[in-house]
Amino acid sequence: MNTLAGKHLVLGLSGGIACYKAAELCRALVKAGASVQVVMTEAAEHFMTAVTMQALSGRTVYTSQWDAREANNMAHINLSREADAIVVAPASADFMAKLLHGRADDLLSLMCLARPLDSVLLIVAPAMNREMWANPATQRNVAQLRADGVHVLDVGQGDQACGETGDGRMLEAEEILDDLQAFFTPKTLLGKHVLVTAGPTYEAIDPVRGITNLSSGKMGFAIARAAHQAGAQVSLVAGPVSLPTPRGVRRIGVRSAHEMMQAVQAQVDSVDVFVACAAVADWRPATSAEHKIKKDGSGQTPELSFVENPDILATVAQSARAQSGALFCVGFAAESHDLLAHATAKRARKQVPLLVGNIGPSTFGQDDNALLLVDAQGATELPRASKQDLADDLIAEIARRL
Ligand code: CTP
């Protein structure tokens, strides 16, 4: 679900080095299907040209409240009435101070003040030096803006253009895009805590070798992101994959099935939904050698024997909370053939209300997938789509069943 498609946004730039990120944000918003009207303050024009923003947004840029292009000469009214949200990125310390006091001496601040409070969201992405950000005046302004109903996004942390290091960088365009998607996502899981397992597990043979599988973790990460966007508090127990953690999601990194089991058990008593998406190794080597197993030149291969790993999903699904319905469990089935029959049998065996079947070889590592949802009523197909779209649909299905 791309919640930005069809939305109309005013992208406001105030003065700051981070204006370069606004160019990328504009491009990403247009790519996501939003229409973007750029408005720049005079200070912003020192950092970025209106030409660049016009080219990226496909619309002429507004910079002045005296713009004669508007027949009634009221750009601040006309532009703010059409918008679903005004996004000020970057929002300088000065611009936020201005917003706080309701000052309106340039087009952008005028528009923010003139916007209809109940239909046009105001979202600001602060960008400044770390000392400016930490200053009590700025922190007081941020707190008051939030109290006034302005959505002040977090700041990033790291190297700053001034050479210092700390809090105050503007979020990256992709992070702002993510937060904007979340603003427009219906909060179907508000107040719920969702626990997701994702990725493969790795079972060590010795310190440098092990057995694992081809799961990329993409589906589980997409589910965690979708649940967070739907308003849930999300914990993600992830096997060894290098995917970035979705914004706002708490990630607990694990390696083996055993560690995954422990991490799940430490959380599961306080969650409302458990989605077991991980491709957990069914077996692990019976012993893991302390040192690397060396070839001795004789051509003899090591004898490996295996023991079965705990079944995390089945254990959780058989708990009293799951059996009473207080915990909603969702399982996955990665099959190679006869999906409906295997998924139906697996749902019964694992005792879960909802089981999501997919064909392992055609999904592992891919960005898209096709799902078969199996519950007590029967089976529903979710046709091939991006994993993120499928994850959004799955979260909507889960929310409907809670
Ligand atoms: N699962 C789990 N712990 C395990 C094995 C599987 O939690 N030790 C979970 C998976 O996360 C998935 C579901 O159980 O949600 C089914 O996993 P799958 O690998 O498809 O099935 P298995 O139970 O391993 O059965 P089989 O290998 O016979 O198909």
Side-chain angles (χ1 to χ4, degrees), residues 79-99:
L79 300 183
S80 65
R81 296 304 180 271
E82 292 166 359
D84 293 295
I86 300 174
V87 182
V88 183
S92 65
D94 180 56
F95 191 79
M96 289 200 297
K98 213 175 197 183
L99 276 183

Side-chain angles (χ1 to χ4, degrees), residues 17 31 35 62 107 120 133 150 179-180 182 190 221 235 267 269 277 299 305 309 341 374:
I17 302 285
K31 199 168 163 208
S35 52
Y62 282 74
L107 178 59
V120 184
W133 175 249
V150 178
D179 285 358
L180 294 179
L190 195 64
F221 276 59
S235 303
Q267 314 265 333
D269 288 343
C277 189
S305 60
N309 271 327
V374 182

Side-chain angles (χ1 to χ4, degrees), residues 12-19 40-48 88-95 108 127-128 132:
L13 279 65
S14 63
I17 302 285
C19 278
M40 296 171 70
T41 65
E42 199 237 316
E45 288 186 274
H46 288 277
F47 295 94
M48 171 64 67
V88 183
S92 65
D94 180 56
F95 191 79
L108 187 56
M128 66 199 73
M132 293 167 74

Side-chain angles (χ1 to χ4, degrees), residues 344-375:
T344 307
K346 206 167 272 185
R347 190 185 85 84
R349 183 156 50 84
K350 306 246 177 180
Q351 298 181 36
V352 290
L354 179 61
L355 191 115
V356 184
N358 58 175
I359 298 293
S362 64
T363 177
F364 278 9
Q366 306 291 317
D367 289 325
D368 59 4
N369 195 2
L371 302 179
L372 186 70
L373 306 191
V374 182
D375 64 10

Side-chain angles (χ1 to χ4, degrees), residues 276-278 280-282 310-313 331-335 346 349-350:
C277 189
V280 185
D282 289 317
D311 190 317
I312 303 168
L313 175 62
F332 268 70
E335 308 295 344
K346 206 167 272 185
R349 183 156 50 84
K350 306 246 177 180

Side-chain angles (χ1 to χ4, degrees), residues 5-169:
K7 292 284 184 291
H8 181 63
L9 304 173
V10 169
L11 176 60
L13 279 65
S14 63
I17 302 285
C19 278
Y20 78 91
K21 294 186 189 175
E24 209 162 306
L25 176 61
C26 181
R27 194 164 169 265
L29 290 170
V30 170
K31 199 168 163 208
S35 52
V36 180
Q37 174 61 60
V38 175
V39 176
M40 296 171 70
T41 65
E42 199 237 316
E45 288 186 274
H46 288 277
F47 295 94
M48 171 64 67
T49 70
V51 174
T52 300
M53 298 309 291
Q54 177 176 347
L56 292 172
S57 64
R59 289 174 176 240
T60 56
V61 171
Y62 282 74
T63 55
S64 162
Q65 70 268 47
W66 311 118
D67 197 314
R69 275 175 294 176
E70 295 294 308
N72 60 0
N73 216 303
M74 292 189 197
H76 63 296
I77 302 291
N78 305 347
L79 300 183
S80 65
R81 296 304 180 271
E82 292 166 359
D84 293 295
I86 300 174
V87 182
V88 183
S92 65
D94 180 56
F95 191 79
M96 289 200 297
K98 213 175 197 183
L99 276 183
L100 177 82
H101 289 287
R103 287 185 48 206
D105 59 356
D106 64 60
L107 178 59
L108 187 56
S109 55
L110 194 54
M111 279 179 60
C112 292
L113 192 66
R115 83 189 197 281
L117 283 178
D118 45 4
S119 59
V120 184
L121 294 172
L122 176 56
I123 300 163
V124 303
M128 66 199 73
N129 162 268
R130 67 189 175 107
E131 299 292 1
M132 293 167 74
W133 175 249
N135 192 289
T138 304
Q139 289 304 311
R140 196 168 53 234
N141 292 350
V142 168
Q144 187 57 51
L145 284 172
R146 286 186 171 142
D148 290 348
V150 178
H151 300 282
V152 183
L153 301 185
D154 291 339
V155 289
Q157 200 267 344
D159 293 342
Q160 302 202 309
C162 51
E164 297 179 3
T165 304
D167 289 344
R169 285 169 60 101

